[in-house]
Amino acid sequence: MYKIGKNAGKKWMAAVMAALVTVAAAAGCGKTDKAGAEERKERNSITVAASSDTGSMDPAGSIALTYLTYSVSALDELLTFDADGEIDYRAAESYEVNEDSTVWTFHLREEAVWSDGTPVTSADFLNTMTRALDPKSGSGYANYLFPIRNAEAIYNGEMESGELGVETPDDYTLIFYLEKPCVYFLDLLRLPVYTPSCSTYAKETGSGWDTDPKTSVSNGPFYLAEYVPEQYMTLKKNESYWNADAVSLDEITYRFFDSQEAMLYAYESGEADAATGLPSTVMSLYEGKEDLEITETIATRYIYPNLNVEPLQDVRVRKAISLALNREDLCQAVGGDTEPTVNFIAAYMKDKTTGNYFIQEAESPFQENVKEAQKLLAEAGYPNGEGFPVLTYNYPTLEMDSDTAQVLQEQLKKNLNIEIKLNAQELQVNYSERRAGNFDLCRMNWTADFADPYTYLSMLLSNSTYNCSGIQDAQYDALVAASDTETDPSKRAELMHQAERLAVGEQFYVIPLYSMKSCNLIRPELEGITQIAATGALEYRYAKWTD
């Protein structure tokens, strides 16, 4: 972890002020209430403005924004890595690995207990893995268990769950047997499917145990005290936490908002003490002020074309769409917190070996070229767009995505003379429809789950649970598989660059648009808020008020 730095960009302040006035009017309140912040400070609590309430809080279930918000404060993974690449032990206190890196043994903290006072055991970790490997769980992260012996066969119904290559010889020992060496295995341990769920309560995915404060126990610094769907969740300090002395706050409330403007107003009005992912116009409004924190988000916004839809199964069509876009103009229209990218792997992800941005160590997968795009479309049988079917572009009803959709529609009409129908959806609906494969073109955003390019490349594998568009590419699968076991860092990096070029610059399985920075507002009196090195997200577990 590391303390986030400050930066500021320039945008029109009038746009922000107009948004604030609009939201204030809609809320029926036009004055700032700083008393709320002072009262929370006295109660040693904070309120954080968070994005829409989506997905479950079960690590074996359907993961979306709510779990990611909840877990960083309430759950301890076995271990994670700090910004310097050093291990931060959490639920585990040590580990050892055999000579060929196929047997990993973790020793759990014997003093660690759930928030109800019961011990955190190795069986609780196995509980999550076993449930996630049942396809009915809806876990999009199940494929990250596939390095474990028999995990993929169990997921496919070819073996019983009891044959999973995980042993729990006692309550505080957890042993993984891998199919083959996996050089990034330790990075995987921060993922939901490797996080424990209490065996006493977490018996069935989707039963509601995860959102009920009576059964949603925690092994981290905070536990779920109250949850009101689509409104807020309140977490209280877990006095039973093994590292409770390092936790200052008594309470964190996450309030859910459907728009960036509403989150901004919540901060302005004193309702929230921190708000993340705000409109880029806030950079100008708060330029030079201590509240403003600009962070690099390890994420990529991109278009997901469905290969099962005519004529998107034709690579010439996918390539034409990608080459016809002007990403620089797109980003100017969307906001100063975006940066054009032609890469799938996030622009701000760093190579842990060199310290450089990973994508900068190789040539770009492709270059925009409208004339080439027009030629490709004609070769595919649609000269000047004639006869091209109307495709629908699904996207969430978020400001950035709405702006993006409008620009995409205009550019494709202008450059290829093809019609794109825009279909705005609630975030949860957009997520569910994409997972079900019900789309032509779909907005997609992926924020890294761990600090390795595999977090992106794995999504396009033929057996990936996040492969929603029908990608089946043996050559791509082989390149990624080779990188899994390659221990030479430079050779492994080259294999991953080759895989990305194949997927994005030759087959155009995804169409990258832009990378992002996050515009955040945080009360200057709050300290200890850190940035998670693997994802770029903020973490509040060790936040505290200053005098």
Side-chain angles (χ1 to χ4, degrees):
M1 307 300 172
Y2 53 96
K3 175 63 180 170
I4 48 186
K6 300 186 185 293
N7 189 14
K10 294 182 178 287
K11 295 294 280 184
W12 296 107
M13 187 181 298
V16 175
M17 296 307 296
L20 284 173
V21 171
T22 300
V23 175
C29 176
K31 65 179 183 178
T32 299
D33 178 16
K34 298 300 182 185
E38 289 300 318
E39 180 185 343
R40 289 191 296 276
K41 186 175 180 179
E42 291 179 8
R43 291 192 292 109
N44 198 27
S45 70
I46 64 171
T47 294
V48 179
S51 275
S52 302
D53 185 9
T54 54
S56 75
M57 284 189 275
D58 180 355
S62 179
I63 300 300
L65 295 176
T66 304
Y67 174 86
L68 300 177
T69 300
Y70 163 79
S71 62
V72 294
S73 299
L75 297 177
D76 266 6
E77 57 273 81
L78 286 165
L79 57 80
T80 187
F81 290 90
D82 63 20
D84 299 319
E86 298 297 323
I87 291 178
D88 177 11
Y89 286 101
R90 291 191 170 176
E93 60 182 4
S94 65
Y95 81 93
E96 59 254 8
V97 59
N98 70 340
E99 205 169 293
D100 68 356
S101 298
T102 57
V103 182
W104 298 74
T105 302
F106 293 86
H107 303 283
L108 307 184
R109 297 181 184 276
E110 295 190 17
E111 72 273 28
V113 296
W114 292 102
S115 51
D116 67 354
T118 59
V120 178
T121 70
S122 53
D124 296 323
F125 288 85
L126 182 58
N127 179 46
T128 300
M129 290 180 266
T130 301
R131 291 187 302 108
L133 286 173
D134 181 350
K136 294 179 181 178
S137 71
S139 172
Y141 287 87
N143 63 289
Y144 292 108
L145 293 169
F146 290 177
I148 302 172
R149 186 184 300 166
N150 300 334
E152 186 171 5
I154 293 169
Y155 183 81
N156 291 330
E158 299 164 358
M159 285 188 174
E160 298 297 322
S161 60
E163 298 178 84
L164 182 64
V166 177
E167 286 186 1
T168 55
D170 57 57
D171 285 348
Y172 301 105
T173 306
L174 185 65
I175 306 175
F176 295 91
Y177 296 89
L178 306 190
E179 295 275 6
K180 57 185 178 181
C182 177
V183 297
Y184 52 85
F185 185 67
L186 288 180
D187 288 298
L188 295 180
L189 299 180
R190 71 175 311 276
L191 297 180
V193 288
Y194 287 91
T195 305
S197 51
C198 185
S199 304
T200 303
Y201 308 108
K203 297 182 182 298
E204 185 178 350
T205 304
S207 63
W209 68 267
D210 53 312
T211 56
D212 184 347
K214 296 178 181 178
T215 53
S216 186
V217 293
S218 160
N219 75 323
F222 295 86
Y223 67 90
L224 183 67
E226 186 178 8
Y227 172 68
V228 179
E230 300 182 7
Q231 294 188 44
Y232 66 89
M233 61 179 169
T234 297
L235 310 182
K236 291 187 179 294
K237 181 177 179 180
N238 178 9
E239 298 293 350
S240 301
Y241 184 52
W242 65 270
N243 198 26
D245 289 346
V247 180
S248 176
L249 293 175
D250 290 326
E251 182 179 280
I252 302 175
T253 295
Y254 292 97
R255 290 199 172 274
F256 302 118
F257 295 91
D258 289 330
S259 72
Q260 293 173 305
E261 280 80 8
M263 293 170 67
L264 173 57
Y265 182 69
Y267 184 85
E268 284 282 331
S269 67
E271 181 183 351
D273 305 301
T276 62
L278 297 174
S280 60
T281 43
V282 173
M283 294 178 184
S284 181
L285 182 65
Y286 278 82
E287 184 173 10
K289 296 184 178 180
E290 289 185 275
D291 308 55
L292 183 64
E293 300 277 5
I294 304 299
T295 57
E296 293 181 345
T297 302
I298 307 175
T300 305
R301 272 289 208 287
Y302 57 98
I303 301 172
Y304 207 12
N306 193 335
L307 274 60
N308 297 309
V309 171
E310 181 79 25
L312 295 172
Q313 78 278 11
D314 190 330
V315 65
R316 294 171 297 184
V317 172
R318 301 194 299 271
K319 184 175 181 180
I321 292 174
S322 189
L323 267 58
L325 299 178
N326 186 319
R327 292 163 177 81
E328 188 70 43
D329 287 352
L330 171 63
C331 288
Q332 288 181 6
V334 172
D337 53 349
T338 62
E339 180 180 328
T341 187
V342 293
N343 287 85
F344 181 37
I345 296 170
Y348 300 127
M349 174 168 281
K350 291 189 175 181
D351 185 321
K352 287 188 287 188
T353 302
T354 66
N356 301 322
Y357 291 123
F358 183 81
I359 67 169
Q360 293 181 358
E361 298 179 330
E363 293 184 5
S364 297
F366 66 91
Q367 293 183 341
E368 297 167 355
N369 188 324
V370 174
K371 289 185 177 180
E372 176 67 15
Q374 294 169 344
K375 179 182 176 182
L376 285 164
L377 200 63
E379 290 177 359
Y382 307 100
N384 193 35
E386 295 175 9
F388 195 88
V390 176
L391 296 175
T392 299
Y393 176 66
N394 291 355
Y395 63 96
T397 54
L398 303 175
E399 291 78 10
M400 175 179 284
D401 294 306
S402 296
D403 292 342
T404 298
Q406 294 288 339
V407 175
L408 293 176
Q409 183 184 53
E410 293 169 4
Q411 289 190 358
L412 292 176
K413 177 61 177 177
K414 175 184 176 181
N415 295 335
L416 296 180
N417 195 32
I418 63 177
E419 299 286 346
I420 302 296
K421 179 182 177 181
L422 303 184
N423 183 30
Q425 302 171 312
E426 291 184 0
L427 188 59
Q428 181 64 54
V429 173
N430 180 260
Y431 174 81
S432 300
E433 289 291 281
R434 174 177 53 78
R435 293 281 290 142
N438 296 329
F439 64 93
D440 299 340
L441 298 167
C442 185
R443 167 271 200 194
M444 180 64 175
N445 179 80
W446 191 252
T447 300
D449 285 305
F450 51 94
D452 190 277
Y454 182 82
T455 187
Y456 286 90
L457 300 178
S458 62
M459 298 178 67
L460 308 183
L461 292 170
S462 299
N463 65 349
S464 172
T465 48
Y466 263 102
N467 180 351
C468 306
S469 65
I471 301 168
Q472 296 290 320
D473 191 323
Q475 182 183 358
Y476 178 82
D477 294 346
L479 284 169
V480 177
S483 73
D484 289 351
T485 57
E486 178 55 66
T487 56
D488 182 286
S490 61
K491 290 180 179 178
R492 179 169 186 258
E494 178 53 32
L495 286 167
M496 292 191 288
H497 286 307
Q498 289 180 35
E500 184 180 34
R501 283 195 296 271
L502 174 61
V504 181
E506 295 178 28
Q507 294 299 324
F508 295 85
Y509 294 133
V510 297
I511 299 172
L513 298 175
Y514 48 80
S515 56
M516 292 161 288
K517 291 187 178 180
S518 182
C519 180
N520 315 302
L521 292 176
I522 300 171
R523 302 278 173 221
E525 311 95 293
L526 273 177
E527 290 186 352
I529 297 176
T530 55
Q531 189 177 13
I532 301 171
T535 68
L538 299 185
E539 184 171 64
Y540 305 93
R541 58 170 55 196
Y542 297 125
K544 62 181 179 180
W545 290 103
T546 58
D547 295 331

